[in-house]
mmCIF file of all heavy atoms in Angstrom:
data_model
loop_
_atom_site.group_PDB
_atom_site.id
_atom_site.type_symbol
_atom_site.label_atom_id
_atom_site.label_comp_id
_atom_site.label_asym_id
_atom_site.label_seq_id
_atom_site.Cartn_x
_atom_site.Cartn_y
_atom_site.Cartn_z
ATOM 1 N N ASP J 174 -35.160 12.306 44.987
ATOM 2 C CA ASP J 174 -36.561 12.330 45.385
ATOM 3 C C ASP J 174 -36.876 13.713 46.132
ATOM 4 O O ASP J 174 -37.843 14.261 45.875
ATOM 5 C CB ASP J 174 -37.026 11.223 46.170
ATOM 6 C CG ASP J 174 -36.937 9.823 45.414
ATOM 7 O OD1 ASP J 174 -37.123 10.033 44.142
ATOM 8 O OD2 ASP J 174 -36.818 8.844 45.909
ATOM 9 N N ALA J 175 -35.890 14.086 46.914
ATOM 10 C CA ALA J 175 -36.058 15.228 47.675
ATOM 11 C C ALA J 175 -36.155 16.526 46.759
ATOM 12 O O ALA J 175 -37.031 17.404 46.873
ATOM 13 C CB ALA J 175 -34.890 15.559 48.724
ATOM 14 N N GLN J 176 -35.217 16.498 45.763
ATOM 15 C CA GLN J 176 -35.305 17.580 44.802
ATOM 16 C C GLN J 176 -36.561 17.561 43.924
ATOM 17 O O GLN J 176 -37.114 18.543 43.690
ATOM 18 C CB GLN J 176 -34.138 17.512 43.826
ATOM 19 C CG GLN J 176 -34.053 18.572 42.812
ATOM 20 C CD GLN J 176 -32.804 18.446 41.921
ATOM 21 O OE1 GLN J 176 -32.535 17.455 41.280
ATOM 22 N NE2 GLN J 176 -31.997 19.546 41.939
ATOM 23 N N ALA J 177 -37.038 16.391 43.600
ATOM 24 C CA ALA J 177 -38.277 16.227 42.867
ATOM 25 C C ALA J 177 -39.367 16.933 43.671
ATOM 26 O O ALA J 177 -40.257 17.673 43.146
ATOM 27 C CB ALA J 177 -38.585 14.786 42.665
ATOM 28 N N ARG J 178 -39.426 16.652 45.013
ATOM 29 C CA ARG J 178 -40.564 17.274 45.791
ATOM 30 C C ARG J 178 -40.393 18.777 45.863
ATOM 31 O O ARG J 178 -41.296 19.556 45.926
ATOM 32 C CB ARG J 178 -40.622 16.628 47.152
ATOM 33 C CG ARG J 178 -41.340 15.315 47.136
ATOM 34 C CD ARG J 178 -41.562 14.774 48.551
ATOM 35 N NE ARG J 178 -40.364 14.615 49.273
ATOM 36 C CZ ARG J 178 -39.574 13.479 49.272
ATOM 37 N NH1 ARG J 178 -39.937 12.460 48.472
ATOM 38 N NH2 ARG J 178 -38.457 13.388 49.982
ATOM 39 N N ARG J 179 -39.174 19.239 45.871
ATOM 40 C CA ARG J 179 -38.855 20.694 46.049
ATOM 41 C C ARG J 179 -39.270 21.440 44.793
ATOM 42 O O ARG J 179 -39.915 22.534 44.865
ATOM 43 C CB ARG J 179 -37.222 20.966 46.248
ATOM 44 C CG ARG J 179 -36.840 20.763 47.671
ATOM 45 C CD ARG J 179 -35.476 21.514 47.879
ATOM 46 N NE ARG J 179 -34.490 21.211 46.910
ATOM 47 C CZ ARG J 179 -33.716 19.991 47.112
ATOM 48 N NH1 ARG J 179 -33.883 19.286 48.148
ATOM 49 N NH2 ARG J 179 -32.727 19.704 46.234
ATOM 50 N N VAL J 180 -38.828 20.972 43.657
ATOM 51 C CA VAL J 180 -39.003 21.669 42.479
ATOM 52 C C VAL J 180 -40.297 21.461 41.628
ATOM 53 O O VAL J 180 -40.782 22.358 40.926
ATOM 54 C CB VAL J 180 -37.755 21.603 41.484
ATOM 55 C CG1 VAL J 180 -36.446 22.011 42.239
ATOM 56 C CG2 VAL J 180 -37.623 20.254 40.906
ATOM 57 N N GLY J 181 -40.900 20.269 41.725
ATOM 58 C CA GLY J 181 -41.942 19.921 40.840
ATOM 59 C C GLY J 181 -43.354 20.093 41.465
ATOM 60 O O GLY J 181 -43.536 19.952 42.643
ATOM 61 N N SER J 182 -44.254 20.663 40.561
ATOM 62 C CA SER J 182 -45.637 20.767 40.977
ATOM 63 C C SER J 182 -46.302 19.392 40.673
ATOM 64 O O SER J 182 -47.311 19.051 41.298
ATOM 65 C CB SER J 182 -46.322 21.831 40.319
ATOM 66 O OG SER J 182 -46.190 21.694 38.911
ATOM 67 N N ARG J 183 -45.801 18.599 39.707
ATOM 68 C CA ARG J 183 -46.260 17.233 39.448
ATOM 69 C C ARG J 183 -45.070 16.412 39.205
ATOM 70 O O ARG J 183 -43.981 16.900 38.836
ATOM 71 C CB ARG J 183 -47.089 17.353 38.170
ATOM 72 C CG ARG J 183 -48.407 17.911 38.255
ATOM 73 C CD ARG J 183 -49.210 17.554 36.939
ATOM 74 N NE ARG J 183 -48.662 18.426 35.776
ATOM 75 C CZ ARG J 183 -48.836 18.129 34.471
ATOM 76 N NH1 ARG J 183 -49.499 16.937 34.140
ATOM 77 N NH2 ARG J 183 -48.406 18.879 33.566
ATOM 78 N N ILE J 184 -45.224 15.082 39.440
ATOM 79 C CA ILE J 184 -44.205 14.155 39.077
ATOM 80 C C ILE J 184 -44.670 13.214 38.058
ATOM 81 O O ILE J 184 -45.803 12.656 38.194
ATOM 82 C CB ILE J 184 -43.703 13.444 40.318
ATOM 83 C CG1 ILE J 184 -43.019 14.374 41.324
ATOM 84 C CG2 ILE J 184 -42.716 12.343 39.905
ATOM 85 C CD1 ILE J 184 -42.517 13.781 42.609
ATOM 86 N N LEU J 185 -43.967 13.078 36.954
ATOM 87 C CA LEU J 185 -44.219 12.095 35.914
ATOM 88 C C LEU J 185 -43.306 10.983 36.078
ATOM 89 O O LEU J 185 -42.150 11.137 35.997
ATOM 90 C CB LEU J 185 -44.075 12.723 34.493
ATOM 91 C CG LEU J 185 -44.947 13.847 34.136
ATOM 92 C CD1 LEU J 185 -44.710 14.477 32.735
ATOM 93 C CD2 LEU J 185 -46.512 13.485 34.158
ATOM 94 N N ARG J 186 -43.850 9.874 36.350
ATOM 95 C CA ARG J 186 -42.963 8.608 36.559
ATOM 96 C C ARG J 186 -43.037 7.744 35.362
ATOM 97 O O ARG J 186 -44.030 7.280 34.915
ATOM 98 C CB ARG J 186 -43.367 7.777 37.802
ATOM 99 C CG ARG J 186 -42.405 6.754 38.312
ATOM 100 C CD ARG J 186 -42.749 6.296 39.554
ATOM 101 N NE ARG J 186 -42.794 7.258 40.770
ATOM 102 C CZ ARG J 186 -41.668 7.801 41.317
ATOM 103 N NH1 ARG J 186 -40.412 7.356 40.901
ATOM 104 N NH2 ARG J 186 -41.731 8.702 42.275
ATOM 105 N N MET J 187 -41.823 7.501 34.697
ATOM 106 C CA MET J 187 -41.723 6.743 33.541
ATOM 107 C C MET J 187 -41.542 5.321 33.994
ATOM 108 O O MET J 187 -40.741 4.941 34.821
ATOM 109 C CB MET J 187 -40.476 7.105 32.803
ATOM 110 C CG MET J 187 -40.871 7.634 31.384
ATOM 111 S SD MET J 187 -39.451 8.132 30.471
ATOM 112 C CE MET J 187 -39.967 7.448 28.832
ATOM 113 N N ASN J 188 -42.229 4.342 33.263
ATOM 114 C CA ASN J 188 -42.031 2.942 33.574
ATOM 115 C C ASN J 188 -41.310 2.195 32.428
ATOM 116 O O ASN J 188 -41.182 2.788 31.460
ATOM 117 C CB ASN J 188 -43.402 2.254 34.012
ATOM 118 C CG ASN J 188 -44.359 2.611 32.847
ATOM 119 O OD1 ASN J 188 -44.059 2.380 31.736
ATOM 120 N ND2 ASN J 188 -45.607 2.961 33.301
ATOM 121 N N THR J 189 -40.916 0.948 32.701
ATOM 122 C CA THR J 189 -40.113 0.198 31.803
ATOM 123 C C THR J 189 -40.825 0.024 30.508
ATOM 124 O O THR J 189 -40.357 -0.339 29.495
ATOM 125 C CB THR J 189 -39.569 -1.083 32.330
ATOM 126 O OG1 THR J 189 -40.666 -1.747 33.041
ATOM 127 C CG2 THR J 189 -38.443 -0.935 33.289
ATOM 128 N N GLY J 190 -42.274 0.103 30.591
ATOM 129 C CA GLY J 190 -43.048 -0.248 29.412
ATOM 130 C C GLY J 190 -43.069 0.940 28.410
ATOM 131 O O GLY J 190 -43.500 0.875 27.255
#
Side-chain angles (χ1 to χ4, degrees):
Chain J
D174 294 336
Q176 181 175 57
R178 283 189 297 273
R179 275 200 307 275
V180 302
S182 53
R183 283 189 291 159
I184 292 176
L185 298 176
R186 193 168 296 281
M187 238 181 142
N188 53 45
T189 43

